[in-house]
Amino acid sequence: MKKTLLFVALVTIITSCKKDYPALPTLNGTWELTSVTGGFGPTVVPAEKKDKYVITINSKYTKIDANNIETKGNYIVKFDEENNGFKFGTITFSNPAYTDAFAFKADTIIIGSSASDGPSYKYVRIKK
């Protein structure tokens, strides 16, 4: 009888606990570089210099520079906080291997941090 009561109590506790997991943002799509910020402020990127990231649902990316594939690899995004609608964290690329600051909001991603004059790259989603 004690085992049955313990089992019922355990099932009740487990099923009554509800966690609200935030929806993961959708990064899938093609992202085009629009500006670079660092040092003295943002610089608009001319059309011929705009690189792109093509990000897919299976954590793969292709970086395209001047309409040529520059690199391909895998990525991992980890979000730490949210503020003003942006989700902040890090992105880790596999080729070449590096981790950088990352922010995401709707149709905008920012890679890098302009802190200490380091550049940050603003990409917007290309709508088809």
Side-chain angles (χ1 to χ4, degrees):
M1 181 75 170
K2 286 184 180 181
K3 287 183 181 179
T4 304
L5 287 175
L6 182 60
F7 177 76
V8 170
L10 185 60
V11 169
T12 302
I13 291 170
I14 291 172
T15 58
S16 66
C17 292
K18 182 183 178 213
K19 286 194 173 195
D20 292 325
Y21 293 101
L24 291 175
T26 303
L27 297 174
N28 301 337
T30 301
W31 301 85
E32 183 174 62
L33 180 65
T34 58
S35 66
V36 179
T37 302
F40 294 108
T43 303
V44 176
V45 179
E48 67 274 4
K49 300 280 187 180
K50 290 185 177 185
D51 64 15
K52 296 179 180 86
Y53 276 99
V54 178
I55 298 176
T56 62
I57 196 166
N58 56 356
S59 297
K60 300 214 180 278
Y61 73 92
T62 302
K63 186 173 182 185
I64 301 169
D65 188 18
N67 294 321
N68 295 311
I69 293 175
E70 183 179 317
T71 59
K72 287 183 171 188
N74 299 314
Y75 72 93
I76 298 170
V77 173
K78 293 182 181 175
F79 291 111
D80 301 323
E81 62 181 276
E82 189 169 344
N83 191 355
N84 283 340
F86 272 97
K87 292 182 182 287
F88 295 95
T90 58
I91 188 165
T92 302
F93 293 102
S94 66
N95 182 22
Y98 75 97
T99 300
D100 213 334
F102 184 77
F104 172 77
K105 179 180 181 180
D107 290 332
T108 303
I109 58 176
I110 299 171
I111 300 174
S113 170
S114 58
S116 300
D117 293 335
S120 60
Y121 302 88
K122 180 180 178 183
Y123 291 84
V124 295
R125 188 187 311 263
I126 296 175
K127 301 196 186 231
K128 294 185 179 192

